[in-house]
Amino acid sequence: MTGAGRGNFITVAGVTLLSRALDAPGFAPLPPRARALLETLGAPPRLGAHLRVVHDVAVTLTGWVGPRVDVPAVLFGAATHDIGKVRHPAELSGPGSLHEEAGYRLLLAQGVEEGLARFARTHGSWESADVTLDDLLVTLADKVWKGKRLPDLEQRVAEGLGGPVWETFLALDDELERLASGADERLAFQAAYPTSG
Ligand SMILES: [Fe+2]
């Protein structure tokens, strides 16, 4: 890298690392509103890269699930679920859930509707009884992007999708197996961007 700078204004040939993470080829572009929020809030590049890969998985998942979910809402949720890490950057590289409520509040403060801001709060609490299928899909994307499989979560999603649960579960399993096979590429992409700057 030849660039140098400070804070979120580190540049390489005049382009911020966040912009590079958001524009890099290979993953679906974020919804414009989500992208604008990340830029306004000065999101760390690693966060931008993480949201790219989780959103990309959510694009595939919602394409598979179809109109049984609110696709634009799920995609916005996937693209912003960890935005609270702007306020709690230590949680970009370590455990912690302070970013969940913080992200929800941050989105509300930015004028985002509750129905879209809620994903920031729900993505870590999928075992709660009152989460919706939309919430569960964001959580699922946030697991399978790195190849993590959670049978109990997948069972809840299969039940939420309706139809014969066992057949749905097996079909979902096939889809998730395909998605999980791309985990190494996603992990390498995310790791290439720093947690600060
Ligand atoms: Fe995440």
Side-chain angles (χ1 to χ4, degrees):
M1 183 186 302
T2 57
R6 64 180 73 87
N8 288 312
F9 298 98
I10 289 179
T11 62
V12 178
V15 179
T16 68
L17 286 176
L18 175 62
S19 296
R20 284 166 64 95
L22 298 180
D23 290 329
F27 304 102
L30 295 185
R33 190 182 186 193
R35 180 193 176 112
L37 284 163
L38 294 175
E39 290 175 329
T40 297
L41 294 168
R46 174 77 55 86
L47 177 58
H50 174 66
L51 295 173
R52 282 289 306 280
V53 296
V54 174
H55 169 264
D56 190 70
V57 167
V59 168
T60 302
L61 267 180
T62 52
W64 184 78
V65 168
R68 287 171 284 191
V69 295
D70 181 341
V71 174
V74 171
L75 295 183
F76 183 85
T80 57
H81 71 281
D82 275 339
I83 203 161
K85 292 183 182 180
V86 167
R87 294 285 181 266
H88 298 281
E91 294 183 6
L92 277 169
S93 52
S97 57
L98 292 174
H99 71 277
E100 295 169 7
E101 185 68 20
Y104 174 69
R105 298 282 163 207
L106 197 51
L107 288 172
L108 291 180
Q110 292 291 320
V112 174
E113 302 85 341
E114 201 282 336
L116 294 175
R118 75 166 197 274
F119 296 100
R121 189 168 63 180
T122 63
H123 72 273
S125 54
W126 63 270
E127 290 168 299
S128 161
D130 58 355
V131 294
T132 67
L133 181 59
D134 291 2
D135 295 309
L136 293 173
L137 281 180
V138 171
T139 305
L140 189 58
D142 195 30
K143 301 297 179 189
V144 79
W145 75 273
K146 57 185 172 185
K148 182 160 182 150
R149 302 290 306 272
L150 291 175
D152 289 349
L153 170 62
E154 294 166 18
Q155 172 86 21
R156 280 197 71 178
V157 170
E159 288 168 359
L161 288 171
V165 172
W166 183 242
E167 287 175 25
T168 305
F169 183 82
L170 291 178
L172 178 63
D173 179 64
D174 283 347
E175 185 64 24
L176 296 177
E177 199 58 40
R178 271 192 292 278
L179 281 166
S181 70
D184 287 349
E185 182 189 354
R186 294 185 205 101
L187 283 161
F189 173 75
Q190 179 177 302
Y193 291 89
T195 57
S196 63

